[in-house]
């Protein structure tokens, strides 16, 4: 894994190292099998169109899991994710380049925990935030 | 209740009712499959020796892994979740929220209970939309809460 970040290294306004994903229809099918979410709007174009969708769309929970990957890469082996969540506001389609990003909103200590809070989101190739969320994570301290 | 609301008394009565537990056995295989589907190469999800060096008993589940993707050892006698049908047939996932107390490890036996936390309706671009907030609580073999998940379902 990448170098471990410490709580002291992080300031409000800092960026979370972005995570880029380029989903394909094949990956959506792979996700369907791994998650058990076989809803047809994610792999059957005719079905998706008949549901007034632009075509097959990326599973919300897959986007949510990528935001989890963004966070676990950021906190490293010695950090931990306390809580995170996101809303699926906009649809994303395979073939687009999707980027998970984040910005630190505050840092503080809570008992023994060195906590950092962040705004996180996934944006599409046009830079539109389709999947905004928030996270509360804990980093190791140098002290 | 507003006039023309699609929320029935039956739906309101379902709020807060906790399900019987489902018992889930967490295996290495679905964790590896899940990490591969996301495209997350972190060895802690597939390399047991690596995970052990970090102090875990076995591989751990990535954030976003839903334990109910694992095989249930015991299912409730009645199905979990809200026992009513939405008047709408189209569904969307509105959002997910995860609250972690400790990582889920392969070998864990988890008990899952679920409840409908809230239900409300909003006008949407394509007509009225029904929002259901469901919550799942996972406890490990020691009775410790390891994960609370909240899910917003939208039907329209």
């Amino acid at each position: 894994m990448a170098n471990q970040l410490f709580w002291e290294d992080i300031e409000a306004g800092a960026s979370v190292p972005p995570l880029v994903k380029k989903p394909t229809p094949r990956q959506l099918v792979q996700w369907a099998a791994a998650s058990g979410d076989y809803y047809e709007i994610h792999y059957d174009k005719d079905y998706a169109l008949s549901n007034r969708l632009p075509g097959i769309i990326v599973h919300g929970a897959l986007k949510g899991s990528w935001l989890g990957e963004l966070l676990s890469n950021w906190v490293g082996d010695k950090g931990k994710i306390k809580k995170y969540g996101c809303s699926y506001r906009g649809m994303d389609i395979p073939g687009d380049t999707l980027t998970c990003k984040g910005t630190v909103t505050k840092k503080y200590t809570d008992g023994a925990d060195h906590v950092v809070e962040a705004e996180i989101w996934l944006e599409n190739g046009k830079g539109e935030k389709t999947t905004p969320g928030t996270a509360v994570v804990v980093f190791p301290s140098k002290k | 209740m507003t006039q023309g609301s699609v929320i029935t008394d039956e739906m309101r009565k379902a709020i807060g009712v906790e399900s019987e537990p489902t018992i889930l056995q967490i295996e290495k295989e679905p964790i590896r499959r899940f990490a591969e589907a996301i495209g997350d190469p972190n060895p802690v999800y597939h390399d047991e020796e690596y995970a052990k060096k970090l102090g875990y008993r076995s591989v751990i589940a990535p954030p976003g892994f839903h334990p109910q993707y694992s095989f249930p050892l015991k299912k409730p006698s009645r199905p979990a979740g809200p026992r009513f049908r939405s008047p709408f047939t189209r569904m969307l996932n509105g959002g997910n929220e995860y609250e972690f107390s400790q990582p889920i490890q392969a070998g864990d036996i988890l008990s899952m209970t679920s409840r409908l936390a809230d239900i409300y309706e909003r006008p949407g671009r394509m007509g009225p939309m029904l929002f259901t907030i469901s919550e799942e609580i996972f406890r490990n073999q020691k009775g410790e809460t390891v994960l609370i998940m909240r899910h917003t379902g939208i039907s329209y």
Side-chain angles (χ1 to χ4, degrees), chain A residues 15-137:
Chain A
S15 297
V16 179
L19 176 71
V20 178
K21 295 286 178 178
K22 294 178 181 174
T24 57
R26 184 189 179 95
Q27 186 175 22
L28 302 195
V29 172
Q30 197 180 6
W31 169 266
S35 69
D37 180 350
Y38 291 105
Y39 192 25
E40 291 83 349
I41 60 171
H42 303 298
Y43 55 84
D44 182 337
K45 189 178 178 184
D46 292 340
Y47 188 96
L49 292 173
S50 74
N51 271 259
R52 297 191 239 170
L53 296 171
I56 61 169
I57 61 168
V58 180
H59 296 76
L62 175 54
K63 298 194 281 177
S65 297
W66 285 331
L67 289 171
E69 184 182 352
L70 171 87
L71 295 170
S72 51
N73 288 348
W74 185 41
V75 302
D77 288 338
K78 294 194 167 96
K80 64 178 181 181
I81 305 167
K82 286 185 84 156
K83 184 176 173 172
Y84 83 99
C86 57
S87 301
Y88 307 117
R89 300 269 172 79
M91 291 164 197
D92 287 293
I93 53 171
D96 200 0
T97 297
L98 308 178
T99 309
C100 298
K101 295 183 176 178
T103 303
V104 174
T105 49
K106 55 178 163 176
K107 60 183 265 188
Y108 53 91
T109 54
D110 177 15
D113 282 346
H114 290 74
V115 184
V116 173
E117 294 192 10
E119 295 288 337
I120 55 171
W121 67 91
L122 179 143
E123 62 182 44
N124 63 19
K126 292 178 191 161
E128 296 160 339
K129 295 182 183 182
T130 61
T131 313
T134 56
V136 183
V137 301

Side-chain angles (χ1 to χ4, degrees), chain B residues 18 21-22 110-115 135-139 144-150:
Chain B
E18 193 155 337
T22 297
L110 301 184
S111 160
M112 172 185 89
T113 58
S114 58
R115 67 189 191 100
E135 190 172 81
E136 276 119 23
I137 300 170
F138 298 87
R139 296 180 181 89
E144 301 159 337
T145 298
V146 294
L147 169 66
I148 299 173
M149 296 193 330
R150 284 178 204 91

